[in-house]
Amino acid sequence: MNTPQISRRSFGLGMAGITAVILAGCGSSSDSSSSSSASASAASGGQGKASGGSLTLAYNSDGPHKAWVEAVCNSVSNTLGITMEPLPFAQFSELRDQITKHTLVGAFRSGWQGDYPSMANFLGSVYQTGAGSNDAQYSSADFDDLLAQAAAASDDATALADYEKAQTQLLTDLSAIPLWYQNGFGGYSNNVSDVEFDWHAVPVYHAIKTTADDGVVLANGTEPQNPLVPSNTNEVGGGRIVDLLFAGLVSYKTDGSVENEVAESIETSDNQNFTVKIKDGWKFSDGTAVTADSFIKAWNYGALLSNAQLSSYFYEPIEGFSYDKDSELTGLKKVDDLTFTIKLTAPASDFALRLGYAAFYPLPDSAYDDMDAFGESPVGNGPYTLDSWDHDSQAALVANADYDGVRKPANKGVTFTFYTDYDAAYNDLLSDAVDVIDSVPDSALSSFKDDLGKRAINQPGAVIQCFAIDVNTEHFKMDEEGRARRAALSRAIDRAQICDTLYYETRTPASDFTSPVIQGWTDKVDGNEVLTFDADEAKKLWDQAEAISKF
């Protein structure tokens, strides 16, 4: 198994110290900004705009995104002479619903927080044809072919060269426009200790110790978009809960390296045929055994076309997978209760690395009686069980006394409060009413290190912030006009100024679509000059598009 060495990750932004240059066009105060955003929302019926000289940028206002959205809108408006304005959605789940249904007309906040430590995850999961997180509906045969070549490569150097070529194709098309890499930053209360953020900037919840009488750690979170079914959970709010309720064949250490969890061993001689042996004695929280069938049936459920699971594309390498019809994963074969084999359609150099992601978690037999009901009250095999889920309010997890894996809880539970305002979460942290938060509001970015002292966290993470526009949107399709407009938008954004002014060393301008903490990252990808601010070039590109069709 190849095991790249990694660092960490998270999401957040800042507003303090903003200059008039950045704020002028999108509102220089909270009042004017709210008015502009409300106007955009009302004028578009909540669907956004991408014509008539106006472009909206949708975002969720329950996260700390307002300041950077305003700054990007202003930079584009001032440079290109169009009107770009924020379009807020009250909750992340509302924004995700619109994005998933492809009802947004304009631009929308996007990005990626690594699922597993690999270039393939940042590129394939978001931009490959048919991928569950391909929100812009991008499709490029050349890009897909380069990903396939990288997956089949016999060595890391060849694979990384193919991934770099694939990024050059993305830089030509720009279905999403990379903005900056985000550190994992936040902090913790006086009531807890042993707090770390992992390689993709999620707090390592199971390791946190608390002095609270009930032994429960209080954390911030967001309402999950869907019921908590591993193969249908591909966003942060649901993902962090699912990852605590279930255990996969492998898990990722804090630094991103891999260790076996449910697996006794995973063996391959050709990166195409794998033999998996499961440790004896693993049980789900309902007392039933975790067996080879627990994985085989769960993966088949996740892959089946008619089940429409958001992470179904993770099973694409396995023999028998189909995007066109219901089809059994014939590449999965049970040997005995604790052994099964996996046959891929082609060698995949990082396949074993992927097996710690949620799509590859096992499910108990009881799940298939009613999967929606199961997702509301899931039965897992991880370090915690779900005690209660009060929608749009909180989810309470309790330590699983029967769990005997590598992530044994140092606390008695974790309760996620679904904040709709990061200022409220931060104020709760300052008063020790919440124990750990994994982002900081705009108002506190300049001061949180001083406020929290040694309890402040700011470290590199596998997170990139972007915005995207659906490739079917008029004026922004994958044609000469659309590519010119996308490149013009990218060139019109002064990333360095925004990062320097807003972010207080928590962001770095992006030079690719991945993250500096991922093995193989480089800031010298061919074509990445399109990510550099150049007002003259931006105007030239926009004028080229205008000559084809008036915006």
Side-chain angles (χ1 to χ4, degrees), residues 7-9 196-204 253-254 459-461:
S7 256
R8 350 234 183 240
R9 97 58 164 110
E196 290 185 280
F197 285 13
D198 67 13
W199 67 277
H200 61 340
V202 170
V204 185
K253 295 181 181 179
T254 301
Q459 62 193 39

Side-chain angles (χ1 to χ4, degrees), residues 75-140:
S75 190
V76 170
S77 297
N78 285 349
T79 302
L80 298 181
I82 65 171
T83 299
M84 188 172 186
E85 51 190 346
L87 176 61
F89 285 80
Q91 291 189 332
F92 178 65
S93 57
E94 296 174 15
L95 175 64
R96 281 301 313 168
D97 185 59
Q98 293 264 349
I99 291 172
T100 301
K101 292 177 179 176
H102 306 295
T103 53
L104 281 173
V105 176
F108 53 88
R109 182 181 82 83
S110 66
W112 194 248
Q113 186 173 32
D115 298 315
Y116 60 93
S118 169
M119 283 276 172
N121 182 235
F122 275 81
L123 301 178
S125 300
V126 188
Y127 305 109
Q128 187 173 8
T129 300
S133 295
N134 187 345
D135 295 325
Q137 302 190 85
Y138 174 68
S139 179
S140 165

